[in-house]
Every structure is written in C-alpha cells, then in structure tokens.
Amino acid sequence: MRLIIRLMCFAFFLLAAATRQMSAQQNVQIEGYVRDSLTNEAMSDVTVTIRGTTIGTATSDKGYFSIHGTTDSMVLSVSYIGYETVYRQLKPGMNRVDIALNPAAYALNEVVVGRRKEKYSKKDNPAVEFVKKVMARRHLHEPHEHEYYNYDIYEQRMFANNDFDVEKARQLWLFKQIDVIFDYVDSTSIRGKTILPLYNEEIIADYHYRKSPRTERKFIDAYKRAGLIELILEEGMTQFIDEAFQDINIFQDNINLLLQRFVSPLSSIGDDYYKYYLLDTLMIDDVQCVDLGFAPFNSESFGFVGHLYVTLDSTYFIKKVNLNVPRDINLNFIGEMSIEQEYERTADSTRLLTKNDIAMVFRFSKKQSGTYARRVAVYNNHSFDKPGDMAIFENNIPVMESEGARRKNEKFWDEARKGTSEIQKTSVEEMMAKLREVPAFYWSEKIINVLVNGYAQTAKENSIFEVGPANTFISGNALEGLRLRLGGTTTTNLSKQLFLDGYMAYGFGDQKVKGDAILEYSFNKKRTFRKEYPFHYIRAEYKYDINQIGQHYLYTNPDNIFMMPKRAKNNLLTYMQRAELSYYRENYKGLGFSMMLRHLQEWATPDVPFRQIHADGLFSPVDHYTSAQVEFYLRWAPNEKFYQSRNYRYPITLDAPIVTLTHTMARKGILGTDHNYNKTELGLRKRFWLSPFGYIDIYGQAGIVWDRVPYPLLIIPNANLSYSIEPETFPLMNPMEFINDRFASWEATYFLNGWIFNRLPLIKELQLREVLSFRGWYGSLSDKNNPAVNGVGLYRFPSETHLMDKQPYMELGVGVENILKLIRLDYIWRLSYRDHKEAPNGGIRMRIKFSF
C-alpha cells in the first residue's frame, strides 16, 4: 500500500509538472523579422512554421512575424521560393529571432547556377551571359533622348531616432527635461521599429528637360521643413544633402552616393567586380521577370549587393532595383541601407523612373541604435510634350521656387499626400514648437547654433545683428601677444540686400587697435545670411590689421583659436592697411567674375624690416610702401558642389574642374604708388575617380610677376606652420623661405579608399584607408628682382629667405585615414632643400575629416 501511494504521488507530481510545463509552453510567443541576406531588405509573405506541426504564419510587408509555441524543442522552418529554407532550433528563454534568407541555386534555361563562392565561375555562367545582354542595352530606353521630358515630383526627407526605447528614455535625465517628446514617438513600426522623428522635409516640384540645348529646370511649388537640422544653415546644407542622397543611376559605370563612387552592377567592368546569380522568375505588374542577384567579389569594396528584376523578353527592360551595401564594406556611419527603384515602360519602351526610395541607418558604432534617414521621391505625370511656357528654360536658375511655396497650410499637405502611400505624415513641426517652450531646450538650441554656425543672436526672435565668429574672440601671435576680437554682422531681418559686417581687435603685446568694416549691397535677395549662393554684390571694405607674410588662410580665419598651436614661432608679421571697392557676380553655371579697386599700405616691423638698397651698396629703412591696384578675377566651376558656411565655401566634391585666373596691376605715381606692378596667376583643381581604386585630387597653379617690385609684392609660397593638413599649403616649409617672381606648383593626393587594407586579414577589420600625397613648388627669381644682382631700389630679403636653384621644392606624404572614422594621420618627408637647418625635414600631420 505504501508503495502504491508513493507511486501515485510520484505520478501526481509528474502530471503537475507536465501540466505546468504545457501551460508555460502554450503561452510562449516567438517574434522576429525575416530579411534578404543580400540586400538586407524586409521580406513579406515568407512562410514561418513550427516544424512537425500545422502551426504557421506569414511575414508582414515589413518582414515581421509572430508565432506561438514551445521553446524547449521547437524548430522554426522559414521558407520562400527562390531561397534556401532555414531551420532554427530555439532554446529556453528565446522570444525573438531575426533570420536572413540566402538565395538558392536555381534552374533557369535548364542550367543550374550555384550561389556559393567556391562554386562560382564566370566561364559558361548563364547569369554572366544574361547580365552582359542587359549591359549592352543599358543606354537604350533613355527618357532624356526625347526632345522634351517633364514630370512631377513629391519628395520627402526624414531623419529619426532609430529603434527608440521609450521606457529606457524615460529614466534618463535628459529626456526628463523634455518629456514632451514622448507624445510624438511614432509607434507605427517603420522597418519594424519604433522611431522618434527629428526632421521632416517635403517638396512638391515640376521637372522640365530640353535636349537641345541641354537644359534642366526644377520648379518648387510647395516646400516645408522642420526639425533639429534647422540648427545648421539651411542653404549651406542643401547641396550636401542633395549630393549625398541624390537619385542614383545604375545605368552608368559609377553610382554617385554618399559622396563616394560605387561600381554599378551594370558597369562595363561589372563581370570582373561582381558575382551574378539567376535566382528565380516572378511576375511584376503582370510582366514575367528574372530575379538577377549580385554581390561584389570583395565585400569590403565600394559595391552593392542586391537584385535586378529584368523582363524576360528581348528588351531586357529593368522593372525594379533593390540595392544594399555589403555588411563588411569600408563605409563609415552606415549601419543599414536599402535602395529601391521602380520603373515603368512606355509604348515605345522608354524607361520611366516612378519611385526612388533610399533608407539608411546612421550610427557611430554597432552598439548604437543610430539615426534612421529616408529619402523617398515619387514621380508621376510623365510627359514628352513641349512645355506650354518655354520661358522656364530661359531663366538661368536651375532650381526655382514659387513665392508662396513655403506658406502652404497643413490642409494643402494633407490633400497632396493622398495617393502617395510612400509619403508619411509626421508631427515634427508641432514637436519643435513644443520643445522650444521648454527653457532647457530653447537655450541648448541657441548654444548649439553658436557652436555650429559661429554666430550668436542678439535678440530672442528676429535678431537684426549677430555676434561672431566665436572662434576668433581669443587668439594670439608673436607680434600682438594676446589678441581679443569682437565682431558681427547684420542679418536679413534688417535687410535682405544691404549688410554691414566687421570687427574690432586689440593686441596686448603691441597695444594697437585693429579692425575691419564691410558695407555690401547684394543684387540678389538673401533668405538667411549674406554669403548665400549665388554672389552678386558691390562691396566697400576698409581693414587695418596684421599680415602674416607667407601664410594664406584659405578656409578659416587667420586668428582662429584652433589654429594657434604651431610647430615653430612665426614672427614674420607686418601691419597692413587695405581699402577695397569690389564688384563680383557669379551665375548658376559656375562662372564668376570680379573687378576690384584696392589701395594698400604695408608697414615694416622690427622682425620684418623694409631695408631699401642704394647705389653705394648701403641701405636705409623704409617705413612702408604704397600700392594702388586694380584686380580682375575670373572663376569657372561648372556643376560645383560645395558647403557654404557663414564665411567660407568648402568644396564637397571636385568632380568638375575649378579654374581661376587673376591679374593684378598698379601704375607708379597713382595714389602714391611707387612702382609698376603686373601679376598674373592661373589655378586648376580637379578630382579624378579611379573607381574602384579610389580617387586623386589634383591642384596646380602657375604665376608670374612681370615688373620690378618690393619683395612683399612678389610670389611667396603658402607655408603651413600648424599641425593640421590643409589643402594648397606646404606643411614642412617656413614662411618666406623662398621668394620668386615666377612659379609653378602642384599637389596630388591619392585616396585609395582601403584598396590595399581591405585585402589584409585583421587589418581590414579596422576599416582604414590609405593616402599618398606629393606636392611641390618650382620657382625662379629673375635678376631684376634679385637684390643680390640688381638691388638698387629694392628691399633686402629677410635673413630667413633662400634663393631657389633649378631643383624644385618637394614633399612626399604617406598616410592613413579613417582612424576612428574621423582622423587622418600623414608622415611627410621633405625631399629637397634638406640643408635648411631652420626647417624640418619630416613630421606627422593630422586632420579631422568627416567622410562616409
């Protein structure tokens, strides 16, 4: 009896345990996402089942699935036609599974093509033969071969905090200060994740094209934007965003994206760069298509993985494109990316782009959720008819905006979004208004604006005057010692065409007051700030300040506090007074012209004396010289892409050439000028892409001084005393080390984009990129300007100056960039004139560089 009772108790406990286990198993829910292993895009209608049961489901259009079952012995089966089936054993405690499906080997035209690397071969590969036929027809069906081409555009750009964890954010001090944002979290599960929209921009525009003469015009009918990017200059960022997120063209050899060049899957070298796979046949818009998959041989290179959906007929028409970047690509800040394009075919087989959708996740590290960015453009109402108003082509402005484009109400936008399911309504504008009511956010925004743009507003709203640049308030040099400066500029709230700009500075070492005053009238009305593109102005300027001879600051202020650390003390400073009246005009084709009247006086200092040589060989000190000059300047930069800050223009790309021509002249006796002066300079900058092997930036310049003049008016190479790598400078040369009256200089920098490092085990994990540079200066000094040969009336050269012989000055640099994704380090060797003891023969230089 005791044995029976014990057995019954044991059975009871087994039954209870089994019941508890079964109860727990019935309440387990497994969820996850299914994506294409090539493109990383979400896959819809994928079958997900519990192996050995009838329990199953299908993924949503965003790749999401949810299924109930046990976790101690459950095996998920994930299958889709054209892909290898995945079986995933689940362990106790698992409640989320993300799965990537690999395209399967597929039989097409009775030939089996394998996907695996060890089986891939170009020889007798039907996928390669197929893609060559597509390549041969890539320039056919081009809509721009028509005499006219018109369509409508609805474009949206959105940035958002990716995979925003609301509960975690509520515990952070920062979000407790601005808890109003939780009302604007988007839980619609874009890409299966909750996001917090941070910026939204919508554009409705008309596009018009004329073949002969080739002209493209875009007319913006409606425009709205709101969000945190307002902290950065709108006009300054426009070209950067346009260039980084432009429409891609897979029918070219190289695809421009993220300021890089990717090899197109339809490139003429595509079969040497990519592996191709014939995966499946399927119907798209009732048309039978071939799914052509592709991936680069080297997953770290600048290529794509993805699919081309090509019609299965003699036209080889591409109906749809899906692209992504390889997971191991040497591309900065991009965690995920998907690109989708859709095309329609007209009756004459012309190819019409109907949708271009680019989505990315930016992140600094793999552990961060990052920022979700999406740019989607929908194109409709395509037409090849001649526009009713041909005047649109006569206007030289490539992008025009209607007067009321920025004043459309929300009702207008709600109506416009109907029928465009790809465009998503956001509440960013309302969120920003609420945030600005929070004092902590309001003042944080003001401070960030000063740090980014360099200017501080003097009023809470609609400031008419701004103080800056902030990086010049405090600096120092050998002549002035500690230097304090305060300046500012009027804004468009005062006038959209008339501007005042300037500063006052004081040096505690020389105890002198300096300053600059600018009065400028712009013939173009400015929207935000004075130096908006394009320039068309007349300007009067008076300036009295120090002059750092032999140092020309091209992209920053001479008294920038961040440029103060030097490798050597520079005491070659003078005082200069300059009055200028100038006219400058540039157009949208990249042609700029200016004429300037200049009256210049430069004063000697103890470290830079002006010692005039007499006939008896003796010399006497000269206090200053005077030069009244006329300068003509021509600049041609077709299709230039640049970022325009408040004071400087930084080139984004150098794909198109930048050519400059300058001639300066003066005549003795005019306004105190004591010499005749003619100086001519010609400059050229250009980038050459060697895709897939990186690119080379070339800079060349040549010039001549035609007359006999004091040495400050001769040609002095641009020396760089800082530890920063700056373009068009010589980092190992000292100021005034050489003086010439004719010269030719060059600078070539080869950015290999990781072409070598990407092939080295372990090293490639660091995603480093190689840089090679070679620069030089070849100059001469004619006898008429050589104080040692014909010195009467000339100034003696400073003791730091050397005469250049027939050998050019040269520097060679070898560097590594993309260190921590931002830092570039070069070691530079001085190849000639190494016997100049006061100058270094080698050294390390660095630069902070943002690049994708």
Side-chain angles (χ1 to χ4, degrees):
M1 182 63 68
R2 287 196 296 267
L3 177 61
I4 294 174
I5 293 173
R6 288 175 181 173
L7 289 174
M8 291 179 63
C9 290
F10 181 67
F12 173 79
F13 286 123
L14 286 178
L15 180 61
T19 303
R20 288 195 301 269
Q21 184 178 13
M22 291 176 61
S23 177
Q25 291 167 352
Q26 290 172 356
N27 291 326
V28 170
Q29 177 178 331
I30 306 298
E31 61 179 2
Y33 291 89
V34 180
R35 300 185 182 278
D36 185 305
S37 65
L38 282 179
T39 66
N40 202 33
E41 63 182 348
M43 296 181 60
S44 60
D45 298 319
V46 176
T47 301
V48 182
T49 62
I50 299 176
R51 192 176 185 182
T53 73
T54 59
I55 301 173
T57 186
T59 58
S60 69
D61 58 353
K62 295 171 183 175
Y64 175 78
F65 71 88
S66 177
I67 194 169
H68 294 268
T70 66
T71 57
D72 60 342
S73 61
M74 187 169 77
V75 176
L76 282 185
S77 173
V78 184
S79 61
Y80 190 75
I81 185 171
Y83 290 80
E84 298 174 352
T85 299
V86 170
Y87 298 101
R88 181 65 55 86
Q89 175 75 51
L90 300 181
K91 299 178 182 179
M94 292 181 66
N95 55 16
R96 179 183 172 90
V97 178
D98 291 334
I99 296 172
L101 293 184
N102 295 324
Y106 230 86
L108 189 67
N109 296 334
E110 299 181 351
V111 179
V112 177
V113 183
R115 177 184 178 276
R116 296 180 180 178
K117 180 178 180 181
E118 62 271 15
K119 294 184 179 180
Y120 187 85
S121 173
K122 293 196 311 182
K123 186 177 180 181
D124 299 326
N125 188 332
V128 175
E129 297 302 318
F130 183 84
V131 78
K132 284 184 177 180
K133 294 177 181 179
V134 179
M135 293 175 184
R137 294 162 176 79
R138 63 178 180 163
H139 295 306
L140 300 178
H141 323 304
E142 172 59 47
H144 291 87
E145 289 302 315
H146 290 261
E147 195 63 35
Y148 297 97
Y149 182 33
N150 317 285
Y151 55 80
D152 299 335
I153 311 169
Y154 195 143
E155 180 179 346
Q156 181 183 44
R157 299 168 181 172
M158 182 176 69
F159 293 85
N161 187 296
N162 185 51
D163 199 10
F164 189 70
D165 191 330
V166 176
E167 296 305 318
K168 184 177 180 180
R170 288 185 184 276
Q171 307 303 316
L172 300 177
W173 176 86
L174 174 63
F175 290 102
K176 288 180 180 179
Q177 309 305 308
I178 51 173
D179 58 356
V180 66
I181 68 167
F182 295 114
D183 296 333
Y184 300 95
V185 173
D186 189 343
S187 58
T188 56
S189 296
I190 297 176
R191 300 168 51 258
K193 298 180 180 181
T194 300
I195 65 170
L196 173 65
L198 301 175
Y199 178 79
N200 183 69
E201 180 179 36
E202 293 179 59
I203 301 172
I204 298 176
D206 308 320
Y207 171 85
H208 301 277
Y209 164 82
R210 179 177 63 185
K211 184 177 179 181
S212 181
R214 185 180 177 90
T215 312
E216 293 180 281
R217 295 291 181 262
K218 185 177 179 181
F219 189 83
I220 298 177
D221 299 301
Y223 178 88
K224 67 176 295 188
R225 73 181 187 102
L228 295 180
I229 294 184
E230 295 177 38
L231 296 175
I232 304 174
L233 295 173
E234 174 192 357
E235 301 301 326
M237 285 297 294
T238 296
Q239 290 208 40
F240 177 84
I241 295 176
D242 288 345
E243 183 68 13
F245 294 93
Q246 62 181 289
D247 288 341
I248 67 169
N249 186 352
I250 65 166
F251 303 97
Q252 297 178 340
D253 282 341
N254 297 314
I255 293 176
N256 303 340
L257 183 67
L258 296 173
L259 309 181
Q260 298 285 358
R261 294 297 179 271
F262 293 76
V263 177
S264 169
L266 296 180
S267 169
S268 54
I269 64 169
D271 59 333
D272 293 321
Y273 195 84
Y274 284 99
K275 298 175 288 185
Y276 297 96
Y277 313 98
L278 294 173
L279 301 175
D280 195 5
T281 58
L282 67 165
M283 302 296 292
I284 298 180
D285 296 335
D286 298 325
V287 178
Q288 190 174 27
C289 296
V290 175
D291 181 358
L292 178 67
F294 52 88
F297 283 100
N298 188 328
S299 62
E300 288 83 9
S301 58
F302 281 86
F304 292 102
V305 292
H307 301 264
L308 298 178
Y309 300 92
V310 187
T311 58
L312 198 58
D313 56 29
S314 60
T315 64
Y316 293 90
F317 186 88
I318 296 178
K319 284 285 292 179
K320 187 176 179 181
V321 178
N322 289 122
L323 302 175
N324 202 345
V325 292
R327 293 181 183 275
D328 298 326
I329 189 172
N330 191 343
L331 186 66
N332 292 331
F333 312 119
I334 304 298
E336 302 173 30
M337 181 172 73
S338 65
I339 302 174
E340 181 179 335
Q341 289 187 330
E342 295 179 1
Y343 295 91
E344 288 183 358
R345 179 166 50 179
T346 64
D348 64 354
S349 293
T350 300
R351 178 179 61 246
L352 303 179
L353 177 64
T354 58
K355 185 176 78 169
N356 186 68
D357 191 350
I358 303 177
M360 303 180 188
V361 175
F362 297 94
R363 56 169 64 104
F364 285 94
S365 68
K366 294 181 180 180
K367 295 181 179 180
Q368 292 181 323
S369 58
T371 298
Y372 171 68
R374 186 187 185 202
R375 183 240 180 202
V376 57
V378 180
Y379 311 92
N380 49 50
N381 297 327
H382 299 264
S383 168
F384 301 114
D385 298 332
K386 182 178 180 179
D389 184 8
M390 292 293 291
I392 193 171
F393 294 118
E394 306 306 321
N395 197 316
N396 289 326
I397 305 176
V399 180
M400 294 167 281
E401 186 177 309
S402 68
E403 185 68 25
R406 299 177 184 242
R407 296 195 295 267
K408 305 294 185 181
N409 58 32
E410 195 57 36
K411 182 179 179 181
F412 167 87
W413 290 104
D414 288 338
E415 289 293 324
R417 293 187 193 99
K418 291 181 179 178
T420 55
S421 58
E422 293 85 356
I423 307 297
Q424 303 172 13
K425 182 179 179 179
T426 69
S427 55
V428 176
E429 191 171 3
E430 181 182 340
M431 181 186 73
M432 291 300 297
K434 291 289 186 181
L435 283 174
R436 289 183 175 123
E437 295 177 0
V438 180
F441 179 86
Y442 175 84
W443 290 109
S444 296
E445 184 181 24
K446 297 296 183 185
I447 293 172
I448 294 174
N449 188 281
V450 173
L451 294 176
V452 173
N453 299 321
Y455 286 81
Q457 297 181 1
T458 56
K460 187 174 181 180
E461 299 291 341
N462 300 323
S463 176
I464 65 173
F465 185 82
E466 295 181 346
V467 177
N471 60 4
T472 63
F473 290 163
I474 301 177
S475 61
N477 54 72
L479 183 60
E480 294 181 288
L482 176 64
R483 172 185 169 104
L484 299 181
R485 168 176 156 172
L486 185 64
T489 180
T490 60
T491 73
T492 52
N493 293 317
L494 179 64
S495 172
K496 296 185 180 298
Q497 292 180 270
L498 186 64
F499 299 91
L500 292 171
D501 198 323
Y503 66 83
M504 297 289 291
Y506 181 78
F508 286 85
D510 62 356
Q511 298 183 353
K512 288 180 178 291
V513 178
K514 298 91 178 175
D516 183 23
I518 297 174
L519 176 63
E520 178 177 303
Y521 177 80
S522 172
F523 296 93
N524 302 326
K525 290 185 177 181
K526 304 297 184 179
R527 180 179 293 117
T528 309
F529 61 101
R530 177 169 66 92
K531 291 190 176 181
E532 288 175 356
Y533 174 83
F535 295 162
H536 185 197
Y537 62 76
I538 185 170
R539 176 195 296 170
E541 179 177 8
Y542 176 83
K543 182 177 182 178
Y544 173 73
D545 210 331
I546 63 170
N547 178 38
Q548 302 183 38
I549 301 180
Q551 293 191 80
H552 315 293
Y553 295 86
L554 303 176
Y555 299 108
T556 187
N557 307 88
D559 48 1
N560 185 342
I561 188 173
F562 300 108
M563 299 295 289
M564 286 181 62
K566 307 286 186 181
R567 60 175 170 83
K569 182 180 180 180
N570 178 29
N571 57 356
L572 299 178
L573 307 174
T574 61
Y575 294 104
M576 180 177 287
Q577 175 182 281
R578 190 177 73 233
E580 294 178 342
L581 179 64
S582 60
Y583 171 81
Y584 185 75
R585 182 172 187 176
E586 63 184 3
N587 60 29
Y588 288 95
K589 295 181 179 180
L591 184 63
F593 166 81
S594 78
M595 182 178 69
M596 179 182 295
L597 303 177
R598 178 189 298 121
H599 188 268
L600 181 151
Q601 289 183 303
E602 188 168 10
W603 280 268
T605 60
D607 291 315
V608 188
F610 297 159
R611 296 172 292 186
Q612 192 171 44
I613 302 173
H614 299 295
D616 57 5
L618 300 177
F619 59 87
S620 60
V622 175
D623 181 61
H624 69 277
Y625 72 88
T626 302
S627 183
Q629 304 172 354
V630 179
E631 180 177 288
F632 298 93
Y633 174 74
L634 186 66
R635 185 178 189 270
W636 184 58
N639 301 315
E640 181 183 20
K641 308 294 183 182
F642 57 85
Y643 169 71
Q644 178 69 59
S645 71
R646 293 291 294 264
N647 289 301
Y648 295 96
R649 180 177 293 182
Y650 303 93
I652 296 174
T653 67
L654 295 172
D655 296 346
I658 299 178
V659 182
T660 57
L661 177 63
T662 308
H663 183 75
T664 307
M665 59 184 181
R667 288 294 174 263
K668 186 176 182 178
I670 297 178
L671 298 178
T673 302
D674 50 15
H675 51 265
N676 290 323
Y677 183 52
N678 282 277
K679 177 184 177 182
T680 305
E681 286 188 327
L682 176 66
L684 171 66
R685 297 183 68 183
K686 178 74 172 72
R687 174 169 294 173
F688 296 91
W689 284 92
L690 307 177
S691 182
F693 309 112
Y695 60 92
I696 299 178
D697 283 348
I698 302 291
Y699 172 74
Q701 192 176 16
I704 183 172
V705 174
W706 305 90
D707 303 286
R708 191 168 186 265
V709 294
Y711 74 77
L713 294 174
L714 294 177
I715 301 169
I716 302 174
N718 190 6
N720 179 8
L721 290 181
S722 75
Y723 292 98
S724 172
I725 300 170
E726 298 294 332
E728 304 175 37
T729 67
F730 294 92
L732 299 181
M733 185 186 290
N734 283 342
M736 298 184 68
E737 186 173 349
F738 301 102
I739 298 178
N740 309 109
D741 58 8
R742 61 197 65 192
F743 83 102
S745 68
W746 69 90
E747 180 178 331
T749 307
Y750 182 17
F751 300 88
L752 281 74
N753 270 354
W755 182 55
I756 298 175
F757 289 150
N758 288 344
R759 288 161 173 78
L760 301 178
L762 300 181
I763 296 295
K764 67 181 183 180
E765 303 299 328
L766 300 176
Q767 295 192 322
L768 303 176
R769 302 174 186 173
E770 317 84 348
V771 183
L772 300 176
S773 62
F774 179 56
R775 61 184 66 85
W777 177 284
Y778 182 73
S780 64
L781 184 69
S782 61
D783 290 345
K784 66 175 180 287
N785 280 311
N786 190 341
V789 176
N790 185 18
V792 178
L794 296 178
Y795 299 166
R796 288 186 61 180
F797 283 175
S799 59
E800 295 86 356
T801 300
H802 299 263
L803 292 180
M804 183 171 283
D805 55 31
K806 294 183 179 180
Q807 184 183 23
Y809 174 87
M810 295 176 291
E811 295 177 353
L812 176 66
V814 176
V816 177
E817 67 171 352
N818 214 39
I819 301 172
L820 302 178
K821 299 185 179 181
L822 291 172
I823 300 173
R824 170 183 166 187
L825 287 179
D826 283 16
Y827 189 87
I828 303 173
W829 288 272
R830 181 170 172 142
L831 302 181
S832 56
Y833 300 98
R834 295 172 61 89
D835 57 338
H836 295 180
K837 296 182 180 180
E838 67 277 8
N841 287 324
I844 296 177
R845 300 293 181 268
M846 71 169 294
R847 187 179 187 184
I848 304 298
K849 177 186 176 183
F850 174 86
S851 63
F852 289 106

